[in-house]
Amino acid sequence: MRWSRYFLYTSKEDPADAEAPSHRLLLKAGFIKQISAGIYEILPAGWRVIRKIESVVRKEMDRSGAQELLLTVLNPADLWKETGRWDSYGNELFRLRDRNGREYCLGPTHEEEITDLVRKFVKSYRQLPLILYQIQVKFRDEKRPRFGLVRGREFIMKDAYSFDADEMSAMMSYETMKFAYDRIFKKLRLNVIMAQASVGNIGGSQSHEFIAFTDYGEALVGFCESCGYAANAEIISLARPPEEREDPLPMEKVRTPDVRTIEDLASFLGTSPSKILKALLYIVDGKDSLVVLIRGDREVDENKLEAVLGTDDFRLATDEEVRDLLGTEKGFIGIFNLPDGIRVLWDNSIYGVKNMVVALNEPHWHYINANPGRDFNYGEFFDLARVEEDDPCPQCGGILKVRRGLELGHIFLLGTRYSEPMRAYYTDPSGEEKPIIMGCFGIGISRIMSALVEQHHDERGIKWPVPVAPFELDIICLNTSDPDISQTAEKLYLEAEEKGIEVIYDDREESAGFKFADADLVGFPYRIVVGKKVKDGKVEVQKRETGESWDFSIGEAVDRVKEMIERDKA
RNA sequence: CGGGGCGUAGCUCAGGUGGCAGAGCGUCGGCUUUGGGAGCCGAAGGUCGGGGGUUCAAGUCCCCCCGCCCCGACCA
């Protein structure tokens, strides 16, 4: 491909509205173009990358025995009503009507449609097990699209569905997919960790997430290097710590004027946040008040709180509500003098803390040296704290590390969540009708492009790994008006094409610096620079990843590059 | 959906107290240049997000709406 004819336009300026490196670089380097919030066009160079990602995914899915098909984007509402998700999916579902008033949605995921398909054809245990998958555009009207392709409202996803006769076989399918995913992310050169996860709205009995470490990820993973445990932070349970061994000091009431934050209170009293009892007032279901007690150095994980409460309809109280309900102010909420009948949850972190600093619901005052049993009694304990670095591993007691990451894949063992209500049944060898056991397995294809950039870039631009690069080689003609140079570049371009290298030939009439900057930005893994050295019969080969460069004779350059590319693909 | 910010040329942005619509980059024409986003000359390019209002006069002041980005709660 000659760059002078290629639809690839880079920008010298950083785009104004992009913060995450992947978002900024994909826009700046001309891979994507924004149409609306969370809606992007994928331009030719970007599409080449997407197609390569897809082909890696396809290859491994096919190899694992899964069969590709294509379901529909337009989903009739009837199917969604069968499982109840027409109502429960809420505002994230894009809904529309046809000319006759029939309701449809744009498919955000396809459990309903695939189950409908399978129930029509699969009647016997002889037809199981079965794994079907597709690669398709999905639509979700996300509350908050983010970071370019990281979370779009329209995005490309690979979704696979397994169908098995019994739990044991379903587990086998699940394991098969696990291995396939492992191979996929390795081939894509992504640093990914598999973590236990919560099943959330999709339902089912177990699930794992495949998370790529990035600073701009949305998932929080805790993992243990000594035993290999890894899980989404929201499901890592934190037990009660051992009791502190301190002699109780006499409790005292201390004036703490306008000291509202934990940090300020700790320094005001000359103590540490871990000695302070933090109390938060929540409003549940828009009406009930709830006090959550947690150690001052810890944060509430609202996913855990949701699990305990059984609802996601809760929020922190406003200043006015704190005043009306507790008669105090934020920063001075405590366990003393709480109104009767208010629900109180104690986080495990509080257990065993001695000589604690506690507020008493009276503005500008705290108690110091409050002790359990003597000054107050514990209520019911729960696990509500967000996991932090150095917390104990729930599996081996080792030390957890905590990192941000991007969820690239998620696999679920669904059980009969869909087959039961949709009556996808098969007949077993004894003639008995049974629901098919299902699993579902997603990979965010377009999101992978973002993750790749997050993990492979520097200050100058993207550094595509060879297996996903839009072109493997960029041949730069440094002086288009020098016939020696341009004819050599032309010759090398034709030779590279002939030898099966995916090559872009920068024949544009631009300055050297301009072309180098573009090459760095767009991120081609290899570059042949054709310039003054041609008069000595040499060209320069450069590797983007490492910055290494070599002078080769004009005759051998393409072959040497070809060798390096082949090595990188292996 | 709550909180914060922004909307002026293709892109990045400037336009105190209302008074002729601006710059750099990019684009087009010409000259010159070619190992790290070159230089000179010339040109084109605008419903100032939309609507209403105040005023002799609105990019600027007021009201309503729309869009985008960031932080939080949800997802691949």
Side-chain angles (χ1 to χ4, degrees), chain A residues 251-262:
Chain A
M251 186 164 84
E252 250 179 87
K253 189 169 167 181
V254 177
R255 188 162 155 76
T256 53
D258 285 317
V259 182
R260 286 163 204 283
T261 67
I262 296 287

Side-chain angles (χ1 to χ4, degrees), chain A residues 216-508:
Chain A
Y216 279 81
E218 305 171 298
L220 208 57
V221 200
F223 59 98
C224 173
E225 285 176 337
S226 48
C227 74
Y229 173 85
N232 192 305
E234 71 192 51
I235 64 160
I236 298 178
S237 51
L238 294 171
R240 291 189 215 172
E243 252 182 79
E244 292 179 352
R245 306 173 67 148
E246 259 179 44
D247 292 330
L249 300 167
M251 186 164 84
E252 250 179 87
K253 189 169 167 181
V254 177
R255 188 162 155 76
T256 53
D258 285 317
V259 182
R260 286 163 204 283
T261 67
I262 296 287
E263 289 70 31
D264 291 349
L265 185 60
S267 59
F268 183 87
L269 294 172
T271 184
S272 97
S274 65
K275 285 296 203 183
I276 299 172
L277 182 143
K278 178 159 71 178
L280 303 160
L281 179 65
Y282 280 89
I283 305 297
V284 184
D285 291 332
K287 53 183 180 7
D288 305 327
S289 35
L290 168 78
V291 171
V292 174
L293 304 175
I294 190 165
R295 217 169 63 195
D297 59 337
R298 312 236 43 155
E299 300 294 328
V300 171
D301 184 333
E302 296 195 346
N303 291 304
K304 289 184 173 181
L305 183 55
E306 179 184 336
V308 167
L309 295 176
T311 173
D312 64 351
D313 184 9
F314 58 83
R315 58 174 172 80
L316 279 171
T318 62
D319 291 353
E320 294 72 47
E321 286 164 333
V322 170
R323 205 169 304 133
D324 294 348
L325 294 164
L326 303 180
T328 185
E329 294 174 26
K330 280 187 182 171
F332 304 100
I333 306 174
I335 46 177
F336 297 102
N337 310 315
L338 279 175
D340 287 344
I342 218 167
R343 188 173 178 200
V344 179
L345 304 181
W346 295 68
D347 179 67
N348 286 340
S349 59
I350 294 294
Y351 180 80
V353 179
K354 300 288 172 62
N355 297 320
M356 223 179 342
V357 177
V358 180
L360 50 148
N361 296 313
E362 186 182 329
H364 316 298
W365 289 93
H366 282 86
Y367 284 123
I368 60 169
N369 301 327
N371 283 284
R374 184 189 72 185
D375 307 315
F376 62 89
N377 290 314
Y378 289 137
E380 200 181 345
F381 280 95
F382 296 90
D383 169 32
L384 300 170
R386 184 187 302 151
V387 168
E388 284 167 20
E389 190 86 6
D390 298 336
D391 275 335
C393 169
Q395 188 166 280
C396 74
I399 291 168
L400 284 180
K401 289 192 178 304
V402 175
R403 295 281 181 279
R404 299 208 71 81
L406 251 180
E407 184 185 339
L408 299 182
H410 200 161
I411 61 179
F412 298 82
L413 196 55
L414 292 173
T416 60
R417 163 71 182 86
Y418 297 91
S419 51
E420 195 90 69
M422 293 187 71
R423 296 211 50 86
Y425 281 53
Y426 72 98
T427 307
D428 79 1
S430 66
E432 193 184 337
E433 284 217 318
K434 287 183 173 164
I436 299 173
I437 312 292
M438 289 175 57
C440 73
F441 313 91
I443 288 183
I445 300 285
S446 39
R447 178 179 281 182
I448 283 177
M449 183 151 78
S450 289
L452 281 162
V453 177
E454 290 290 338
Q455 290 192 353
H456 300 276
H457 74 273
D458 61 17
E459 62 292 341
R460 294 203 303 267
I462 305 171
K463 304 195 281 190
W464 294 109
V466 167
V468 290
F471 291 93
E472 294 158 344
L473 171 63
D474 177 23
I475 296 179
I476 297 181
C477 175
L478 278 189
N479 188 346
T480 50
S481 53
D482 180 323
D484 269 358
I485 292 175
S486 64
Q487 280 166 24
T488 303
E490 190 86 18
K491 202 180 78 189
L492 291 171
Y493 165 55
L494 295 175
E495 182 190 345
E497 288 236 296
E498 211 168 281
K499 291 183 169 162
I501 297 174
E502 296 180 27
V503 55
I504 187 162
Y505 168 34
D506 195 347
D507 60 338
R508 297 174 299 174

